[in-house]
Amino acid sequence: MQNAVRSEVLVVGAGPVGLTLANALAHHGVTATVVDSRHEPRTQSRANNLYARPQELLAAVGLRDLLADGAHRVSSAQFVMNGRSIDTVGFDDASLPYPAVLYSSQAVMERTMRDALTGRGRPVEGGVTLVGLEQDATGVDAELETADGHRYTHRARYVVGTDGANSAVRRAVRIELEVEDFPRRATRQIDARLSWRRPTTRDTMWFFVYENGFAGVLPIEGDCHRLFFVEDDEGMPEREPTVEEMQDRAREVTGDPTVTLTDPIWASHTRFRHGVASAHAVGRVFLAGDAGHLNLPIGGQGMNAGMQDAVTLAWRLAMTLAGRAAPAVLASYATERHGEHRRLGRQEVSGFRRLMYRSGLQDKVLDVAAAAVPEIGKRLLGAEELQQLAVAYPDSPLSVDHRPRRPGRRVAAGHRAPDSRVVRDDRTTTLFEQIYNPDGLTWGWALLAFEGPGDDRAELAAAVEAVTLRHPWVRARLVRNRPDGPAAPDEVPVLWDLDGQAHSAYGTARSATLVLVRPDGHVGLLAPADRGDALLTYCGAIDPTHDRRPAELAHAGAHS
């Protein structure tokens, strides 16, 4: 006899990724249980930054503003090479809703998201560890153990391991994590109050490139800064650094003898390891965050990538549990994110080797290039990659493009759907406001029907009416760049784009185009206006059921 289902999703691990997933599931109305071996939130700083693309996804599930309230907004990075200022990189792209990088600390983020989860009536169950898993066609039996040694079985429809690099979930389903070590390099870092002769404003971070090393000064929680040094480990003690050691090293690297560190709250000594799990799912068990990818710490990509895991898995689970998704929808999570983590891993390893295993000759070349190459800081930082705006899934089974091939297209299937200002009902809004949670359906897909310059409005309207009638989880918006013309189909909002900014962002100014956007803001399908049949075929493959009314669907996906 099967055990009774206690929750729809069991989340193992209450770090930033697990808490993001649990809050995202709650946002979608999914009953989730979160367990963690720790009784209390983490007090160490560890991860501390949120980039542009993760902020967009966190905003979609109601978390971004909560986290921003306890963070500093960093809008620039200053680069110094061998004591000489070489470049300033600005995080000020006006096309982004959240261009500034948010800096606080992992401890602050965990407390904030735990409080949010408790406010939803779903507190973390602390002092609980996973000791075994068994799954069948309808669910997963997780054997859990409390701090006092009591064992019990928790049955859930799905289990997600967000329990870090030593994941018990990953081991339970026998997924391998091959780890590569990087010799002769180590990092020391400290979080403390800082005074020096450079500005201590909270909107700037500093990076120092020097022989055999790379260092950074970053604003974190409260009035503290983080100082880190990644360098040759020769003579470096195998222990946490002292305040005096870090202060002396900071004076040497920055060339500022006034650097003073006081009131330290955390210090660490770490060597570099990297690895990607052999898979991100087995049956009804999934991995997210460090459970599936051990990131190199340079650039702070790990937590940000894990949060993308969480948000993009949450809508798939919600749509599946609502009975509106074919198995391929949930299966595509492992395909997409496993591929992305492998791509990110290659990028991290390549960048780390290039930056941290430089020869003396390469240092000299870099020093000369710094004076001659414009925006060298942006190249060193890899700004677009760092902000995770380039994450795309062109090879995903959910990515389909029916347009004629044309080089240099701005948006393709699998890409992030860009934002743009538009007007709806005489009020300025943005495409993001229309794409995410359309009409209150948290896992709804948004169909942007872009009008073109030709006489194709009738075909566009027919495609919109056909798909929204049959698939009520598709919420359409007609994007118009001409003030004249017939009325829009019934109950389809019109987004006015008379200056063509939205059309330009999507590359749809030449012809009427159907753009179907997934709940995580990635483009699923692109098709010409006369390919309404392709849109229907695609949506039928996503959701082979057509028997539920819009009111029932809205209730299933309503905010909790």
Side-chain angles (χ1 to χ4, degrees):
M1 178 184 295
Q2 290 180 345
N3 295 300
V5 172
R6 298 183 60 175
S7 55
E8 293 173 310
V9 181
L10 173 65
V11 180
V12 181
V17 176
L19 292 169
T20 299
L21 176 62
N23 277 285
L25 289 169
H27 172 80
H28 293 306
V30 173
T31 302
T33 298
V34 186
V35 299
D36 193 276
S37 58
R38 293 177 290 128
H39 282 282
E40 300 297 331
R42 199 182 309 273
T43 57
Q44 300 94 341
S45 298
R46 298 183 183 272
N48 62 350
N49 57 314
L50 291 174
Y51 292 123
R53 179 57 179 151
Q55 287 185 60
E56 293 172 0
L57 294 173
L58 290 167
V61 296
L63 287 175
R64 187 266 171 192
D65 289 349
L66 293 176
L67 295 171
D69 285 344
H72 303 294
R73 290 164 175 79
V74 173
S75 56
S76 67
Q78 181 69 48
F79 278 82
V80 179
M81 176 174 287
N82 299 326
R84 175 168 54 90
S85 181
I86 60 170
D87 198 9
T88 300
V89 176
F91 300 102
D92 52 4
D93 187 340
S95 69
L96 301 176
Y98 311 112
V101 184
L102 296 182
Y103 270 87
S104 59
S105 78
Q106 182 171 336
V108 170
M109 287 185 255
E110 286 190 16
R111 286 198 301 270
T112 300
M113 290 193 285
R114 276 196 181 221
D115 289 346
L117 203 57
T118 300
R120 298 176 186 267
R122 300 171 186 179
V124 173
E125 296 182 14
V128 178
T129 58
L130 178 90
V131 294
L133 282 176
E134 289 187 9
Q135 58 177 312
D136 53 46
T138 61
V140 186
D141 288 324
E143 187 177 3
L144 304 177
E145 183 175 84
T146 61
D148 60 6
H150 172 65
R151 290 194 176 191
Y152 63 98
T153 299
H154 183 111
R155 186 167 178 83
R157 298 294 186 200
Y158 299 95
V159 171
V160 185
T162 58
D163 48 344
N166 297 314
S167 172
V169 174
R170 188 184 67 239
R171 295 196 304 270
V173 292
R174 296 180 176 83
I175 293 177
E176 299 295 327
L177 178 66
E178 295 184 4
V179 176
E180 178 184 4
D181 293 302
F182 292 81
R184 308 189 316 279
R185 297 293 182 270
T187 181
R188 293 182 295 174
Q189 55 190 12
I190 190 168
D191 295 347
R193 287 191 173 93
L194 165 71
S195 65
W196 61 346
R197 285 180 177 160
R198 289 184 169 87
T200 53
T201 52
R202 319 302 294 179
D203 60 352
T204 303
M205 51 187 171
W206 300 79
F207 294 107
F208 298 84
V209 183
Y210 54 98
E211 185 177 356
N212 287 325
F214 179 74
V217 179
L218 318 169
I220 58 166
E221 61 180 301
D223 57 356
C224 287
H225 279 78
R226 169 167 297 174
L227 278 71
F228 71 81
F229 302 93
V230 182
E231 48 196 355
D232 193 314
D233 65 357
E234 184 176 354
M236 187 182 294
E238 289 287 340
R239 56 167 171 76
E240 292 182 359
T242 66
V243 175
E244 292 75 20
E245 288 170 341
M246 294 296 280
Q247 180 174 279
D248 289 346
R249 188 62 178 140
R251 290 176 176 180
E252 293 172 0
V253 167
T254 66
D256 182 354
T258 71
V259 172
T260 303
L261 301 175
T262 58
D263 303 314
I265 58 176
W266 183 63
S268 73
H269 171 278
T270 309
R271 294 196 174 276
F272 295 99
R273 311 186 80 198
H274 171 269
V276 180
S278 57
H280 269 68
V282 174
R284 291 174 169 264
V285 179
F286 300 85
L287 302 180
D290 287 351
H293 185 189
L294 186 59
N295 291 78
L296 287 167
I298 297 294
Q301 297 289 290
M303 182 179 69
N304 285 265
M307 287 176 163
Q308 293 215 44
D309 291 345
V311 175
T312 196
L313 177 57
W315 72 260
R316 287 172 163 93
L317 287 167
M319 191 172 185
T320 298
L321 288 163
R324 301 302 299 212
V329 173
L330 192 51
S332 67
Y333 164 79
T335 301
E336 290 182 0
R337 294 307 295 166
H338 183 64
E340 169 57 23
H341 281 292
R342 286 202 174 279
R343 185 201 66 81
L344 177 60
R346 290 191 297 270
Q347 171 193 310
E348 287 179 326
V349 169
S350 174
F352 184 83
R353 291 189 184 282
R354 189 169 57 250
L355 183 64
M356 295 313 306
Y357 290 94
R358 308 186 313 270
S359 67
L361 177 60
Q362 287 172 319
D363 264 351
K364 291 179 181 178
V365 171
L366 189 59
D367 201 19
V368 172
V373 178
E375 296 188 320
I376 192 168
K378 184 174 290 187
R379 299 186 186 196
L380 286 170
L381 200 60
E384 185 177 37
E385 290 285 355
L386 201 68
Q387 293 274 51
Q388 298 198 351
L389 295 165
V391 173
Y393 313 113
D395 300 323
S396 169
L398 302 189
S399 301
V400 177
D401 196 331
H402 287 280
R403 299 171 304 170
R405 290 187 179 275
R406 182 180 297 157
R409 287 194 186 277
R410 295 192 176 185
V411 177
H415 286 195
R416 163 188 171 271
D419 197 14
S420 179
R421 287 189 301 176
V422 289
V423 172
R424 175 179 173 179
D425 299 329
D426 298 325
R427 181 182 71 87
T428 300
T429 181
T430 66
L431 288 182
F432 275 16
E433 288 184 42
Q434 307 302 316
I435 287 171
Y436 295 102
N437 308 301
D439 303 331
L441 181 58
T442 63
W443 47 264
W445 296 49
L447 175 62
L448 301 179
F450 286 91
E451 285 190 343
D455 187 20
D456 40 24
R457 285 173 162 174
E459 293 173 330
L460 204 65
V464 167
E465 288 184 306
V467 76
T468 53
L469 178 64
R470 194 166 186 180
H471 298 284
W473 47 271
V474 175
R475 304 299 169 92
R477 279 91 173 93
L478 186 62
V479 188
R480 284 191 157 171
N481 57 1
R482 290 180 287 167
D484 61 326
D490 290 345
E491 299 182 0
V492 175
V494 173
L495 307 180
W496 295 103
D497 181 39
L498 297 188
D499 293 322
Q501 293 180 0
H503 281 71
S504 176
Y506 282 77
T508 59
R510 297 185 183 182
S511 59
T513 307
L514 299 162
V515 182
L516 185 63
V517 184
R518 303 169 1 174
D520 56 6
H522 284 271
V523 175
L525 171 107
L526 292 117
D530 62 358
R531 289 302 311 275
D533 60 325
L535 176 62
L536 281 174
T537 299
Y538 180 94
C539 292
I542 295 294
D543 171 24
T545 66
H546 316 299
D547 58 348
R548 291 176 64 182
R549 297 177 181 276
E552 294 172 322
L553 182 61
H555 176 74
H559 292 267
S560 59

